[in-house]
Amino acid sequence: DYVLRGTFRSGFALIRPPGHHADTHGPKGFCLLNNVAIAANYSLSKGAERVLIVDWDVHHGNGTQTTFYSNSAIMYCSIHRFDGGRFFPCGSLGSPKSVGEG
């Protein structure tokens, strides 16, 4: 809120747990709510033009990626283990070629 009101020029939030497996359809991978997605959407609703989400975790944040896949106001960067799609959450989402549409 301080950044969005102009009290501070920038902000940083270290969120744990990120809830990055939960998506708009519900909980996944032990994540009930996607806390970082809620915070990003809140920021946009309060006037932020863009939000950067940097997710570093051994697992890919599939819920966060799918939530913002076509949203050009959100840049989601995930640093995770992939192992050719054989590491949880498995599949092609999260590969180096998996980029959003927005």
Side-chain angles (χ1 to χ4, degrees):
D1 283 327
Y2 287 108
V3 173
L4 298 171
R5 284 194 302 249
T7 306
F8 297 129
R9 282 183 18 97
S10 61
F12 174 83
L14 181 60
I15 299 173
R16 198 71 187 149
H20 64 182
H21 296 302
D23 62 20
T24 56
H25 301 292
K28 291 183 181 167
F30 300 109
C31 297
L32 299 178
L33 299 171
N34 193 323
N35 298 315
V36 72
I38 293 168
N41 277 322
Y42 176 79
S43 296
L44 292 176
S45 77
K46 293 295 185 177
E49 294 178 24
R50 299 176 305 216
V51 175
L52 169 64
I53 299 170
V54 179
D55 181 353
W56 70 93
D57 186 280
V58 71
H59 302 109
H60 172 246
N62 55 315
T64 304
Q65 183 174 349
T66 57
T67 298
F68 298 118
Y69 196 79
S70 61
N71 188 334
S72 62
I74 305 283
M75 181 172 185
Y76 174 66
C77 175
S78 178
I79 302 166
H80 58 274
R81 181 176 168 182
F82 182 62
D83 288 353
R86 295 180 305 276
F87 194 73
F88 184 83
C90 303
S92 62
L93 194 64
S95 79
K97 296 178 181 179
S98 179
V99 297
E101 297 171 347

